[in-house]
């Protein structure tokens, strides 16, 4: 053969998705939990993996039954919504859960809709499943109300509507009445991506409360953020068993390894110690928002473990100036804004010190206007 084999036409010239993984002292760019698992949890993981190893000649439990029971218990405790374990579907990160959703409910000739600015991976799930993906803009402060969702859906009824709450990269949570209204109007599935749900502020309610009453609602969650388990790749969907059955059709057989299932169960058993970290991160987040505003910047209200702030005249220059000071944040969202993940108190202090230097530089900041901050 003379020439190299070529991938599909629609993939030519594309680059793999991913935030830069740069080794600097303060990494606040991918919304990870900054706290590593405790020594006790690391040892428990080691023991569980050793036990699982004795069985590795066998394929994993295809249905991950024990893990689903543990997840159901966790959700009942976390949000007060008790659902049977067959309403829960785990996979390798909520990324894979979303691929199952797109695989089952998207596809050629089908439409998915998201509300920008939002998580850029949705576009890739659509591309890999040959689903058409359309985004509609959020309001001036990145909010989304029922009228806006309705207006967006009038043009063509989507097979998949994605409501990200809290939204990435803005941190904006969605009121339950907007989700209820969307479910009532939608002819396809409504996915509420709750990757950051555990960080929500008091008074913000999880969409889990709506799953029982809305047969077309799917809530997705992950252990990558609040559970400090990004490296293990565990996410899950919550929906009616009929919807879960559709996801089970498109999953690859034995998709979730015995080791992954065991590690996830250990992390769930240690949720007490993780909860304390979540509390700390929430109060650090609120403190960061207050500090940014007091310093004269705009900061979007956040129910997540990150804050979108600005506005910078040239955000790439600001990003680079922070990096030069050892702090890596994310250049994402609308022009002029940067997203910073809430880190440990020390990391947040380092970010504030670096940012104070950066916005003192000439011509760095746009004057604050509007009500986002
Ligand atoms: C981080 C994130 C996820 C989580 O992905 P995993 O595959 O579970 O690590 C999902 N949705 C959004 C909006 C995110 O920001």
């Amino acid at each position: 053969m003379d020439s190299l084999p070529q991938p599909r036409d629609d993939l030519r010239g594309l680059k793999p998705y991913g935030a830069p993984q740069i080794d600097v002292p303060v990494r606040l760019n991918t919304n990870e939990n900054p706290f590593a698992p405790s020594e006790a949890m690391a040892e428990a993981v080691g023991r569980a993996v050793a036990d699982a190893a004795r069985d590795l000649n066998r394929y994993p439990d295809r249905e991950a039954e024990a893990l689903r029971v543990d997840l159901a218990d966790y959700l009942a405790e976390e949000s007060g919504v008790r659902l049977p374990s067959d309403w829960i579907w785990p996979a390798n990160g909520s990324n894979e859960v979303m691929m199952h959703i797109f695989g089952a409910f998207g596809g050629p000739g089908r439409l998915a809709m998201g509300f920008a600015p939002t998580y850029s991976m949705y576009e890739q799930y659509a591309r890999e499943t040959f689903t058409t993906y359309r985004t509609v803009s959020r309001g001036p402060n990145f909010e989304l109300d029922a009228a806006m969702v309705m207006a967006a859906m009038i043009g063509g009824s989507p097979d998949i509507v994605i409501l990200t709450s809290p939204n990435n990269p803005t941190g904006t949570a969605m009121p339950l009445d907007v989700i209820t209204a969307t479910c009532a109007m939608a002819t396809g599935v409504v996915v509420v991506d709750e990757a950051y749900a555990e960080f929500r502020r008091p008074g913000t309610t999880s969409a889990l409360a709506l799953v029982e009453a809305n047969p077309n609602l799917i809530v997705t969650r992950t252990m990558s953020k609040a559970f400090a388990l990004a490296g293990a790749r565990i996410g899950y969907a919550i929906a009616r068993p009929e919807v879960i059955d559709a996801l089970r059709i498109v999953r690859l057989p034995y998709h979730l390894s015995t080791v992954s299932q065991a590690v996830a169960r250990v992390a769930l058993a240690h949720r007490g110690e993780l909860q304390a970290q979540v509390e700390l991160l929430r109060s650090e987040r609120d403190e960061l928002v207050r500090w940014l505003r007091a310093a004269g910047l705009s900061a979007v209200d956040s129910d997540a473990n990150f804050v979108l702030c600005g506005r910078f005249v040239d955000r790439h220059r600001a990003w680079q100036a922070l990096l030069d000071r050892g702090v890596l944040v994310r250049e994402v969202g609308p022009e002029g804004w940067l997203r910073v993940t809430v880190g440990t108190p020390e990391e947040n202090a380092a970010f504030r010190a670096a940012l104070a230097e950066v916005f003192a530089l000439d011509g760095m900041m746009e004057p604050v206007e509007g009500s986002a901050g």
Side-chain angles (χ1 to χ4, degrees):
M1 204 173 125
D2 300 336
S3 57
L4 287 170
Q6 289 297 315
R8 313 190 309 242
D9 288 351
D10 64 314
L11 298 182
R12 300 235 180 115
L14 296 185
K15 296 264 185 301
Y17 166 85
Q21 292 190 310
I22 303 173
D23 194 12
V24 291
V26 182
R27 282 185 294 172
L28 302 175
N29 69 327
T30 51
N31 297 345
E32 292 152 327
N33 190 316
F35 298 106
S38 69
E39 208 40 50
M41 177 171 147
E43 274 168 26
V45 165
R47 283 191 299 275
V49 171
D51 283 345
R54 301 193 171 91
D55 242 357
L56 283 183
N57 56 315
R58 301 292 177 191
Y59 281 110
D61 173 7
R62 230 176 4 221
E63 300 295 338
E65 307 243 8
L67 172 58
R68 290 161 85 182
V69 168
D70 289 355
L71 286 168
D73 288 343
Y74 163 67
L75 291 175
E77 194 179 293
E78 199 269 342
S79 47
V81 179
R82 162 65 64 190
L83 295 168
S85 61
D86 62 349
W87 290 52
I88 297 171
W89 178 246
N92 292 284
S94 71
N95 285 167
E96 192 184 37
V97 173
M98 289 296 285
M99 280 300 284
H100 291 164
I101 294 171
F102 273 69
F105 295 100
R110 291 190 160 216
L111 174 69
M113 181 180 282
F115 295 87
T118 193
Y119 191 43
S120 56
M121 279 298 296
Y122 303 137
E123 200 173 339
Q124 184 173 342
Y125 310 139
R127 188 185 74 205
E128 283 2 315
T129 56
F130 304 95
T131 308
T132 303
Y133 179 61
R134 214 168 69 219
T135 57
V136 174
S137 289
R138 292 168 166 265
N141 297 317
F142 309 118
E143 77 286 2
L144 201 53
D145 62 28
M148 292 160 71
V149 178
M150 301 293 151
M153 287 168 66
I154 279 170
S157 62
D159 300 283
I160 304 173
V161 182
I162 307 168
L163 305 174
T164 314
S165 178
N167 184 46
N168 179 7
T170 63
T172 319
M174 195 162 306
L176 291 194
D177 60 329
V178 181
I179 297 169
T180 304
T182 307
C183 289
M185 184 173 177
T187 51
V189 293
V190 177
V191 181
V192 180
D193 182 346
E194 287 197 347
Y196 301 96
E198 284 92 344
F199 298 104
R200 64 193 185 272
R201 292 173 295 176
T204 303
T205 316
S206 164
L208 282 179
L210 305 176
V211 172
E212 208 168 350
N214 294 280
N216 58 346
L217 177 60
I218 306 176
V219 177
T220 61
R221 291 225 181 168
T222 180
M223 296 185 76
S224 295
K225 311 286 162 55
F227 269 93
L229 213 63
R233 312 302 304 127
I234 307 289
Y236 50 102
I238 302 100
R240 290 191 161 258
E242 298 78 13
V243 173
I244 303 287
D245 281 345
L247 306 184
R248 290 170 61 228
I249 309 252
V250 298
R251 63 117 170 85
L252 298 174
Y254 311 112
H255 67 293
L256 196 57
S257 84
T258 304
V259 171
S260 299
Q261 295 184 34
V263 172
R265 296 190 66 203
V266 172
L268 286 164
H270 284 75
R271 58 178 171 266
E273 69 184 62
L274 295 163
Q275 189 52 40
Q277 297 172 355
V278 169
E279 297 297 337
L280 175 61
L281 292 170
R282 287 155 86 195
S283 77
E284 284 285 309
R285 174 219 34 224
D286 294 341
E287 177 53 35
L288 184 58
V289 169
R290 276 194 296 275
W291 182 87
L292 288 163
R293 289 175 182 169
L297 281 85
S298 296
V300 184
D301 281 332
S302 175
D303 277 280
N305 66 337
F306 54 81
V307 178
L308 191 70
C309 63
R311 295 203 325 238
F312 302 93
V313 172
D314 176 349
R315 68 143 162 210
H316 184 71
R317 183 174 159 233
W319 178 86
Q320 185 64 53
L322 285 168
L323 187 57
D324 294 342
R325 288 160 179 80
V327 180
L328 178 61
V329 299
R330 190 75 180 269
E331 208 179 337
V332 67
E335 195 45 60
W337 299 85
L338 291 172
R339 190 194 70 192
V340 56
T341 304
V342 178
T344 62
E346 298 71 33
E347 289 172 326
N348 301 331
F351 166 73
R352 290 192 293 259
L355 187 61
E357 288 183 22
V358 168
F359 67 64
L361 299 174
D362 271 350
M364 193 57 88
M365 302 309 302
E366 284 178 11
V368 173
E369 31 104 344
S371 48

